[in-house]
Amino acid sequence: MKIEKKHIAILGSTGSIGTQALEVIKANPESFVVEVLTGNSNADLLIQQAIEFKPNAVVIADESKYQKVKAALDPQDIKVFAGNKAIEQVVQMDSINIVLAAIVGYAGLASTISAIKAKKNIALANKETLVVAGELVTALAKENGVNIYPVDSEHSAIFQCLAGEFTTANPSSGGWENPIEKIYLTASGGPFRGKDKNFLASVKKEQALKHPNWDMGAKITIDSATLMNKGLEVIEAKWLFSLKAEQIEVIVHPQSIIHSIVQFKDGSMKAQMGLPDMKLPIQYALAYPKRIASTFERFNFVDYPALTFEKPDTNTFRCLSLAYEAMKKGGNAPCILNAANEVAVQAFLTDKISFLKIADVIEGTLTKAPFISRPSYDNYVASDKETRALALGLCK
Ligand code: NAD
Ligand code: MG
């Protein structure tokens, strides 16, 4: 099958996912072209990336850095824009056919929605988009004939396990039969696996920022330490694969070799495995449906004589239970969960609250913020804003 080159917009190119995506693109110039790069405030890196990859346009969200980026890229004939609205506009460019949504947090929602409305396929790293507004975003994708390819390693694993499984159309119903009985999302357990509340009471951000298996941005690294990352991923999986809460189970697997598992309705299970390296799921999402050859380090069984599994400790790591509760409640509850978590994580990273207080802030905010059962986009925007104020109040 001849596959055209993918013309890619990378939203959040200066981050952990963004820079790894550029490594994948650099290694595969016959498959990928960079159309757009965007960053929040790291002007130097954005300029350096633009000079190397020669996109059509770049956007720097922080408007105070506009002149600097423009002066550097004008001679290169690269268009430069500034501000978050410009990110929403630039994703609609005709030449783009896939958008890598790799901005962190709620800040990535508007641009992802804008790209979907412009009928661009999405490689989705920004899980918060589906946590906040999964129902709306998946409905919009369907309406616009847009595919959402997961970048998150667990969801990429599920997606890879599902390849070829939806080919048995049920002729009498005329539809596709969902063959999934349940999925197991694997979790490393993070840097504090096995620790109790006494230990966690005094942990500092430097300890929380040391993830045993993955090197990621600060926010997701803290989320991994609290297990909120797995909670967000449970909600992300619900929307990506049309699952009910009871069909999603989290299992701690400290070696991070099995990236997730699908159990089908005949009881058969498929797992996807490999060494932990985000470049693989990034490349799979960008190149789909093709598998491109890579030089990523290969797994060696003898190096891992034991792959182990255990139940998550949700008494100590309450964020995971809070996420399940918010998902079951539905409406704007996951939006509230997400906003409270973003505020609490920021407060922890700036030494304003302790590690254990993160879950307290989220739980307190969930009980205080007004519930909306069928939120519109505007409701989500208002709810996010209101929740942040409430959560900030609880961080004092
Ligand atoms: P990061 O903090 O390293 O990078 C975030 C990127 O978003 C940067 O380019 C930054 O400039 C940009 N950004 C931040 N705030 C912005 C704003 N207000 N407006 C515009 N741009 C803004 O984060 P990351 O680790 O690369 O994670 C990105 C997303 O991918 C997150 O949603 C995360 O959960 C998800 N993800 C990351 C990994 C990983 O290994 N890093 C794995 C799975 C999923
Ligand atoms: Mg993940």
PDB file of all heavy atoms in Angstrom, residues 91-115:
ATOM      1  N   VAL A  91      -3.937  25.315  13.375  1.00  0.00           N
ATOM      2  CA  VAL A  91      -4.182  23.880  13.140  1.00  0.00           C
ATOM      3  C   VAL A  91      -5.143  23.637  11.978  1.00  0.00           C
ATOM      4  O   VAL A  91      -5.278  22.516  11.503  1.00  0.00           O
ATOM      5  CB  VAL A  91      -4.744  23.144  14.387  1.00  0.00           C
ATOM      6  CG1 VAL A  91      -3.726  23.113  15.498  1.00  0.00           C
ATOM      7  CG2 VAL A  91      -6.055  23.750  14.870  1.00  0.00           C
ATOM      8  N   GLN A  92      -5.808  24.699  11.531  1.00  0.00           N
ATOM      9  CA  GLN A  92      -6.776  24.526  10.438  1.00  0.00           C
ATOM     10  C   GLN A  92      -6.141  24.630   9.060  1.00  0.00           C
ATOM     11  O   GLN A  92      -6.807  24.433   8.043  1.00  0.00           O
ATOM     12  CB  GLN A  92      -7.880  25.580  10.586  1.00  0.00           C
ATOM     13  CG  GLN A  92      -8.590  25.462  11.928  1.00  0.00           C
ATOM     14  CD  GLN A  92      -9.652  26.501  12.140  1.00  0.00           C
ATOM     15  OE1 GLN A  92      -9.793  27.412  11.331  1.00  0.00           O
ATOM     16  NE2 GLN A  92     -10.385  26.390  13.224  1.00  0.00           N
ATOM     17  N   MET A  93      -4.836  24.925   9.013  1.00  0.00           N
ATOM     18  CA  MET A  93      -4.151  25.080   7.719  1.00  0.00           C
ATOM     19  C   MET A  93      -4.388  23.873   6.800  1.00  0.00           C
ATOM     20  O   MET A  93      -4.291  22.729   7.239  1.00  0.00           O
ATOM     21  CB  MET A  93      -2.628  25.199   7.940  1.00  0.00           C
ATOM     22  CG  MET A  93      -2.117  26.609   7.998  1.00  0.00           C
ATOM     23  SD  MET A  93      -0.383  26.707   8.563  1.00  0.00           S
ATOM     24  CE  MET A  93       0.368  25.337   7.753  1.00  0.00           C
ATOM     25  N   ASP A  94      -4.654  24.154   5.527  1.00  0.00           N
ATOM     26  CA  ASP A  94      -4.971  23.092   4.567  1.00  0.00           C
ATOM     27  C   ASP A  94      -3.892  22.026   4.470  1.00  0.00           C
ATOM     28  O   ASP A  94      -4.176  20.854   4.277  1.00  0.00           O
ATOM     29  CB  ASP A  94      -5.154  23.693   3.162  1.00  0.00           C
ATOM     30  CG  ASP A  94      -6.525  24.326   3.030  1.00  0.00           C
ATOM     31  OD1 ASP A  94      -7.385  24.027   3.892  1.00  0.00           O
ATOM     32  OD2 ASP A  94      -6.713  25.118   2.090  1.00  0.00           O
ATOM     33  N   SER A  95      -2.635  22.453   4.557  1.00  0.00           N
ATOM     34  CA  SER A  95      -1.537  21.509   4.309  1.00  0.00           C
ATOM     35  C   SER A  95      -1.370  20.466   5.419  1.00  0.00           C
ATOM     36  O   SER A  95      -0.665  19.476   5.224  1.00  0.00           O
ATOM     37  CB  SER A  95      -0.238  22.290   4.138  1.00  0.00           C
ATOM     38  OG  SER A  95      -0.069  23.143   5.249  1.00  0.00           O
ATOM     39  N   ILE A  96      -2.011  20.656   6.564  1.00  0.00           N
ATOM     40  CA  ILE A  96      -1.842  19.704   7.684  1.00  0.00           C
ATOM     41  C   ILE A  96      -2.791  18.528   7.509  1.00  0.00           C
ATOM     42  O   ILE A  96      -3.969  18.728   7.222  1.00  0.00           O
ATOM     43  CB  ILE A  96      -2.208  20.391   9.023  1.00  0.00           C
ATOM     44  CG1 ILE A  96      -1.289  21.576   9.300  1.00  0.00           C
ATOM     45  CG2 ILE A  96      -2.193  19.397  10.182  1.00  0.00           C
ATOM     46  CD1 ILE A  96      -1.743  22.449  10.466  1.00  0.00           C
ATOM     47  N   ASN A  97      -2.289  17.288   7.695  1.00  0.00           N
ATOM     48  CA  ASN A  97      -3.269  16.200   7.771  1.00  0.00           C
ATOM     49  C   ASN A  97      -3.284  15.461   9.085  1.00  0.00           C
ATOM     50  O   ASN A  97      -4.188  14.679   9.343  1.00  0.00           O
ATOM     51  CB  ASN A  97      -3.238  15.246   6.572  1.00  0.00           C
ATOM     52  CG  ASN A  97      -1.839  14.791   6.243  1.00  0.00           C
ATOM     53  OD1 ASN A  97      -1.015  14.641   7.130  1.00  0.00           O
ATOM     54  ND2 ASN A  97      -1.586  14.579   4.965  1.00  0.00           N
ATOM     55  N   ILE A  98      -2.325  15.708   9.966  1.00  0.00           N
ATOM     56  CA  ILE A  98      -2.431  15.118  11.313  1.00  0.00           C
ATOM     57  C   ILE A  98      -1.860  16.082  12.346  1.00  0.00           C
ATOM     58  O   ILE A  98      -0.846  16.744  12.096  1.00  0.00           O
ATOM     59  CB  ILE A  98      -1.773  13.709  11.373  1.00  0.00           C
ATOM     60  CG1 ILE A  98      -1.968  13.075  12.758  1.00  0.00           C
ATOM     61  CG2 ILE A  98      -0.324  13.726  10.998  1.00  0.00           C
ATOM     62  CD1 ILE A  98      -1.758  11.564  12.783  1.00  0.00           C
ATOM     63  N   VAL A  99      -2.552  16.163  13.472  1.00  0.00           N
ATOM     64  CA  VAL A  99      -2.136  17.085  14.537  1.00  0.00           C
ATOM     65  C   VAL A  99      -1.728  16.251  15.744  1.00  0.00           C
ATOM     66  O   VAL A  99      -2.513  15.439  16.229  1.00  0.00           O
ATOM     67  CB  VAL A  99      -3.304  18.030  14.915  1.00  0.00           C
ATOM     68  CG1 VAL A  99      -2.948  18.847  16.160  1.00  0.00           C
ATOM     69  CG2 VAL A  99      -3.640  18.960  13.748  1.00  0.00           C
ATOM     70  N   LEU A 100      -0.485  16.433  16.188  1.00  0.00           N
ATOM     71  CA  LEU A 100      -0.045  15.775  17.423  1.00  0.00           C
ATOM     72  C   LEU A 100      -0.369  16.709  18.584  1.00  0.00           C
ATOM     73  O   LEU A 100       0.246  17.775  18.727  1.00  0.00           O
ATOM     74  CB  LEU A 100       1.460  15.473  17.372  1.00  0.00           C
ATOM     75  CG  LEU A 100       2.081  14.935  18.662  1.00  0.00           C
ATOM     76  CD1 LEU A 100       1.445  13.620  19.114  1.00  0.00           C
ATOM     77  CD2 LEU A 100       3.588  14.749  18.510  1.00  0.00           C
ATOM     78  N   ALA A 101      -1.378  16.328  19.362  1.00  0.00           N
ATOM     79  CA  ALA A 101      -1.811  17.161  20.497  1.00  0.00           C
ATOM     80  C   ALA A 101      -0.948  16.814  21.696  1.00  0.00           C
ATOM     81  O   ALA A 101      -1.200  15.826  22.394  1.00  0.00           O
ATOM     82  CB  ALA A 101      -3.285  16.908  20.786  1.00  0.00           C
ATOM     83  N   ALA A 102       0.103  17.601  21.930  1.00  0.00           N
ATOM     84  CA  ALA A 102       1.070  17.290  22.995  1.00  0.00           C
ATOM     85  C   ALA A 102       1.276  18.468  23.941  1.00  0.00           C
ATOM     86  O   ALA A 102       2.319  18.605  24.575  1.00  0.00           O
ATOM     87  CB  ALA A 102       2.392  16.839  22.389  1.00  0.00           C
ATOM     88  N   ILE A 103       0.256  19.333  24.015  1.00  0.00           N
ATOM     89  CA  ILE A 103       0.259  20.375  25.047  1.00  0.00           C
ATOM     90  C   ILE A 103      -0.150  19.688  26.340  1.00  0.00           C
ATOM     91  O   ILE A 103      -0.899  18.706  26.317  1.00  0.00           O
ATOM     92  CB  ILE A 103      -0.733  21.510  24.659  1.00  0.00           C
ATOM     93  CG1 ILE A 103      -0.168  22.282  23.466  1.00  0.00           C
ATOM     94  CG2 ILE A 103      -1.021  22.442  25.841  1.00  0.00           C
ATOM     95  CD1 ILE A 103      -1.092  23.361  22.912  1.00  0.00           C
ATOM     96  N   VAL A 104       0.318  20.165  27.482  1.00  0.00           N
ATOM     97  CA  VAL A 104      -0.047  19.516  28.734  1.00  0.00           C
ATOM     98  C   VAL A 104      -1.268  20.203  29.353  1.00  0.00           C
ATOM     99  O   VAL A 104      -1.371  21.422  29.335  1.00  0.00           O
ATOM    100  CB  VAL A 104       1.161  19.478  29.717  1.00  0.00           C
ATOM    101  CG1 VAL A 104       1.696  20.859  30.046  1.00  0.00           C
ATOM    102  CG2 VAL A 104       0.807  18.738  30.998  1.00  0.00           C
ATOM    103  N   GLY A 105      -2.198  19.381  29.847  1.00  0.00           N
ATOM    104  CA  GLY A 105      -3.313  19.882  30.650  1.00  0.00           C
ATOM    105  C   GLY A 105      -4.479  20.438  29.859  1.00  0.00           C
ATOM    106  O   GLY A 105      -4.564  20.297  28.627  1.00  0.00           O
ATOM    107  N   TYR A 106      -5.373  21.073  30.600  1.00  0.00           N
ATOM    108  CA  TYR A 106      -6.584  21.671  30.027  1.00  0.00           C
ATOM    109  C   TYR A 106      -6.228  22.638  28.885  1.00  0.00           C
ATOM    110  O   TYR A 106      -7.013  22.815  27.948  1.00  0.00           O
ATOM    111  CB  TYR A 106      -7.327  22.416  31.148  1.00  0.00           C
ATOM    112  CG  TYR A 106      -8.517  23.201  30.684  1.00  0.00           C
ATOM    113  CD1 TYR A 106      -9.772  22.593  30.593  1.00  0.00           C
ATOM    114  CD2 TYR A 106      -8.391  24.546  30.337  1.00  0.00           C
ATOM    115  CE1 TYR A 106     -10.877  23.315  30.156  1.00  0.00           C
ATOM    116  CE2 TYR A 106      -9.489  25.270  29.900  1.00  0.00           C
ATOM    117  CZ  TYR A 106     -10.719  24.653  29.804  1.00  0.00           C
ATOM    118  OH  TYR A 106     -11.807  25.359  29.371  1.00  0.00           O
ATOM    119  N   ALA A 107      -5.048  23.238  28.949  1.00  0.00           N
ATOM    120  CA  ALA A 107      -4.608  24.196  27.924  1.00  0.00           C
ATOM    121  C   ALA A 107      -4.626  23.580  26.523  1.00  0.00           C
ATOM    122  O   ALA A 107      -4.657  24.304  25.531  1.00  0.00           O
ATOM    123  CB  ALA A 107      -3.203  24.700  28.248  1.00  0.00           C
ATOM    124  N   GLY A 108      -4.641  22.253  26.426  1.00  0.00           N
ATOM    125  CA  GLY A 108      -4.630  21.607  25.108  1.00  0.00           C
ATOM    126  C   GLY A 108      -6.015  21.357  24.530  1.00  0.00           C
ATOM    127  O   GLY A 108      -6.136  20.918  23.382  1.00  0.00           O
ATOM    128  N   LEU A 109      -7.056  21.636  25.298  1.00  0.00           N
ATOM    129  CA  LEU A 109      -8.414  21.273  24.852  1.00  0.00           C
ATOM    130  C   LEU A 109      -8.878  22.060  23.620  1.00  0.00           C
ATOM    131  O   LEU A 109      -9.322  21.483  22.630  1.00  0.00           O
ATOM    132  CB  LEU A 109      -9.409  21.468  26.016  1.00  0.00           C
ATOM    133  CG  LEU A 109     -10.880  21.234  25.693  1.00  0.00           C
ATOM    134  CD1 LEU A 109     -11.142  19.772  25.342  1.00  0.00           C
ATOM    135  CD2 LEU A 109     -11.770  21.645  26.883  1.00  0.00           C
ATOM    136  N   ALA A 110      -8.772  23.387  23.693  1.00  0.00           N
ATOM    137  CA  ALA A 110      -9.358  24.219  22.631  1.00  0.00           C
ATOM    138  C   ALA A 110      -8.710  23.940  21.275  1.00  0.00           C
ATOM    139  O   ALA A 110      -9.402  23.834  20.252  1.00  0.00           O
ATOM    140  CB  ALA A 110      -9.225  25.695  22.994  1.00  0.00           C
ATOM    141  N   SER A 111      -7.389  23.793  21.251  1.00  0.00           N
ATOM    142  CA  SER A 111      -6.717  23.583  19.965  1.00  0.00           C
ATOM    143  C   SER A 111      -7.047  22.198  19.395  1.00  0.00           C
ATOM    144  O   SER A 111      -7.160  22.040  18.180  1.00  0.00           O
ATOM    145  CB  SER A 111      -5.202  23.762  20.112  1.00  0.00           C
ATOM    146  OG  SER A 111      -4.713  23.037  21.212  1.00  0.00           O
ATOM    147  N   THR A 112      -7.235  21.210  20.275  1.00  0.00           N
ATOM    148  CA  THR A 112      -7.592  19.871  19.789  1.00  0.00           C
ATOM    149  C   THR A 112      -8.992  19.907  19.173  1.00  0.00           C
ATOM    150  O   THR A 112      -9.223  19.354  18.088  1.00  0.00           O
ATOM    151  CB  THR A 112      -7.517  18.840  20.941  1.00  0.00           C
ATOM    152  OG1 THR A 112      -6.226  18.933  21.529  1.00  0.00           O
ATOM    153  CG2 THR A 112      -7.742  17.432  20.438  1.00  0.00           C
ATOM    154  N   ILE A 113      -9.903  20.587  19.833  1.00  0.00           N
ATOM    155  CA  ILE A 113     -11.265  20.707  19.294  1.00  0.00           C
ATOM    156  C   ILE A 113     -11.237  21.444  17.950  1.00  0.00           C
ATOM    157  O   ILE A 113     -11.897  21.045  16.989  1.00  0.00           O
ATOM    158  CB  ILE A 113     -12.185  21.424  20.313  1.00  0.00           C
ATOM    159  CG1 ILE A 113     -12.449  20.487  21.497  1.00  0.00           C
ATOM    160  CG2 ILE A 113     -13.493  21.877  19.660  1.00  0.00           C
ATOM    161  CD1 ILE A 113     -13.355  21.045  22.569  1.00  0.00           C
ATOM    162  N   SER A 114     -10.444  22.488  17.891  1.00  0.00           N
ATOM    163  CA  SER A 114     -10.352  23.257  16.655  1.00  0.00           C
ATOM    164  C   SER A 114      -9.829  22.375  15.508  1.00  0.00           C
ATOM    165  O   SER A 114     -10.329  22.431  14.372  1.00  0.00           O
ATOM    166  CB  SER A 114      -9.441  24.464  16.879  1.00  0.00           C
ATOM    167  OG  SER A 114      -9.236  25.139  15.691  1.00  0.00           O
ATOM    168  N   ALA A 115      -8.837  21.544  15.812  1.00  0.00           N
ATOM    169  CA  ALA A 115      -8.272  20.652  14.781  1.00  0.00           C
ATOM    170  C   ALA A 115      -9.314  19.632  14.327  1.00  0.00           C
ATOM    171  O   ALA A 115      -9.420  19.324  13.137  1.00  0.00           O
ATOM    172  CB  ALA A 115      -7.029  19.948  15.326  1.00  0.00           C
TER     173      ALA A 115
END
